[in-house]
Amino acid sequence: MVKMSLDPVQVMSGQVNELKVSPSSNGDSRGSWDGKQEIDQDQLGLGTTPKPVAGRRARKVEGGVFFPKPENAVTIAVSSRVLFRTDREQKALEAVNARLRDLYPQSEELFDIVLVTYNHAHVGIRLINTINHHNLFIERFCMTGGSSPIGYLKAWHTNLYLSADADKVREALAEGIAAATMFMTEKLTEVSETQLRVAFDGDAVLFSDESERIFKAHGLDKFFEHERENEDTLLDHGPLKGFLETLGKLQKKFYAKGHRLDCPIRTFLVTARSAASSGIRALKTLRAWGLEIDEALFLAGAPKGPMLEKIRPHIYFDDQMFHVEGAAEMGTIAAHVPYGIAQKHNAKRNASGGK
């Protein structure tokens, strides 16, 4: 099992050879990358002023550089330590934006990234230079000087918040904002730079944890019985349903222009549910919501890691750290959604030493 604890200074300086995730981790530790404390300049790699690299991407349109209004953009808010570890994902977002601008030159429905950091404003110049050095196109900053950034997320019309601080992620989820705690392994699987691939678990991520509660309390047989009896009853929504909806809206813009087969966004449902016994309820719920998922994998309890290695998503969302750890072993960037009954079982697992 790969371990997921690392020193942020080592990460930013490239000194870490292996990401480690302790089997007992449930996302509460500071073993992701963020902390409540103010991030100093050395931790961000800001001790020197790097020179911007040539060929920096810019969203230029006729008449100058174009910035979508926050209320129209698909806004992803990220903490600083997440930002500098997701350059491949940002290339994929920019590839989607480029194709959207080609098809809809006047549209503001584009991906936009907001950097949310505990740093004070005086760090801004060095932070900007570091962003230029990494060839990232980030123009929206939220520098809170040590205060919690969660209150600003709704003002930014945030569609997804990614942080390494599990407490802040929980705070965002409590405010109704799609959020997840980011984890990454140094063993990174190669991913596409031209197609954004996003994979979701089902229960307690896209859907509520209703069915998972039945399983945890009464076992697998009762779970199957409950699903058969409620086959035509829709599942309630989970914390990331809205983000899937947002991706679906962008996909339909490509479909409308005849680009279904070469759409630069692809979505995946990767669930431990079995297809015949419990999968139909999940599919009926998605259909009733008007949401399309490109690929659905019903694993009937089989490990998710090997499937994720094949899918090669830019990010995978799951509510159980066991599956996040499995994804990390296979080189997949995984995000823990600390929501639902599984969090209580994670806490018990930690208290018993991971047994």
Side-chain angles (χ1 to χ4, degrees):
M1 186 67 64
V2 205
K3 209 176 151 203
M4 266 183 173
S5 62
L6 57 146
D7 182 345
V9 178
Q10 291 178 316
V11 170
M12 293 309 302
S13 61
Q15 297 172 8
V16 175
N17 294 320
E18 178 183 328
L19 176 66
K20 302 203 165 198
V21 179
S22 77
S24 63
S25 172
N26 70 347
D28 293 338
S29 71
R30 300 296 173 225
S32 26
W33 312 312
D34 242 351
K36 292 182 180 178
Q37 75 277 9
E38 176 188 351
I39 303 168
D40 66 31
Q41 298 170 15
D42 289 334
Q43 287 176 322
L44 281 173
L46 303 178
T48 59
T49 303
K51 296 179 181 179
V53 298
R56 179 172 180 247
R57 296 183 305 277
R59 286 178 282 193
K60 291 186 178 179
V61 296
E62 186 176 354
V65 178
F66 175 70
F67 303 103
K69 296 175 183 175
E71 60 267 29
N72 298 330
V74 179
T75 300
I76 301 176
V78 297
S79 67
S80 53
R81 295 182 196 174
V82 168
L83 175 69
F84 295 110
R85 299 287 291 162
T86 55
D87 58 311
R88 302 179 313 164
E89 289 66 32
Q90 292 175 64
K91 288 177 183 180
L93 295 179
E94 280 296 312
V96 175
N97 281 353
R99 289 190 59 185
L100 281 169
R101 289 193 300 273
D102 287 341
L103 296 174
Y104 301 92
Q106 304 305 316
S107 177
E108 293 189 346
E109 291 182 270
L110 303 168
F111 283 109
D112 202 27
I113 298 176
V114 176
L115 174 59
V116 178
T117 171
Y118 290 99
N119 276 285
H120 290 266
H122 66 78
V123 181
I125 293 175
R126 289 180 175 176
L127 188 56
I128 290 168
N129 284 333
T130 302
I131 285 172
N132 289 343
H133 175 75
H134 284 270
N135 198 25
L136 306 177
F137 190 84
I138 311 295
E139 295 290 351
R140 303 193 199 274
F141 280 26
C142 183
M143 307 180 74
T144 66
S147 300
S148 171
I150 301 305
Y152 293 100
L153 295 180
K154 286 188 176 180
W156 286 111
H157 299 270
T158 300
N159 297 99
L160 177 67
Y161 173 56
L162 298 175
S163 175
D165 186 336
D167 291 335
K168 288 294 172 279
V169 167
R170 289 192 187 88
E171 192 177 336
L173 288 171
E175 293 293 320
I177 297 167
T181 312
M182 285 283 290
F183 292 92
M184 185 183 291
T185 172
E186 285 300 310
K187 173 195 172 184
L188 289 177
T189 300
E190 288 300 318
V191 294
S192 173
E193 292 187 2
T194 58
Q195 183 183 62
L196 178 67
R197 301 167 74 86
V198 185
F200 300 88
D201 180 30
D203 295 300
V205 176
L206 294 180
F207 314 119
S208 73
D209 68 337
E210 166 205 327
S211 298
E212 196 164 333
R213 286 178 178 274
I214 299 295
F215 170 66
K216 296 293 188 186
H218 304 291
L220 191 60
D221 290 341
K222 282 292 184 182
F223 166 78
F224 286 142
E225 180 183 332
H226 177 265
E227 293 305 289
R228 285 192 298 269
E229 291 175 353
N230 293 275
E231 180 180 304
D232 295 319
T233 303
L234 300 183
L235 290 159
D236 199 359
H237 69 85
L240 264 65
K241 177 205 173 190
F243 183 57
L244 177 61
E245 284 179 323
T246 300
L247 294 178
K249 288 178 182 177
L250 291 184
Q251 284 180 310
K252 287 175 182 177
K253 291 172 73 71
F254 289 102
Y255 300 165
K257 297 286 189 177
H259 292 280
R260 177 177 287 271
L261 295 181
D262 65 339
C263 181
I265 301 173
R266 194 163 186 84
T267 55
F268 302 80
L269 173 64
V270 183
T271 173
R273 285 174 175 259
S274 58
S277 303
S278 59
I280 192 168
R281 190 181 182 199
L283 293 176
K284 284 184 175 181
T285 297
L286 288 171
R287 184 173 64 185
W289 287 346
L291 297 180
E292 294 184 32
I293 202 96
D294 293 304
E295 298 187 30
L297 285 78
F298 294 94
L299 303 183
K304 295 182 179 181
M307 294 300 170
L308 292 169
E309 185 179 32
K310 180 67 176 178
I311 292 170
R312 297 176 182 265
H314 291 86
I315 189 169
Y316 170 63
F317 297 98
D318 203 295
D319 67 307
Q320 300 194 56
M321 278 303 301
F322 173 80
H323 294 305
V324 172
E325 293 163 358
E329 278 193 315
M330 297 297 177
T332 298
I333 295 178
H336 179 234
V337 182
Y339 173 85
I341 189 65
Q343 310 319 306
K344 294 182 180 179
H345 286 258
N346 282 335
K348 289 180 181 178
R349 182 182 172 205
N350 287 346
S352 63
K355 297 180 180 179

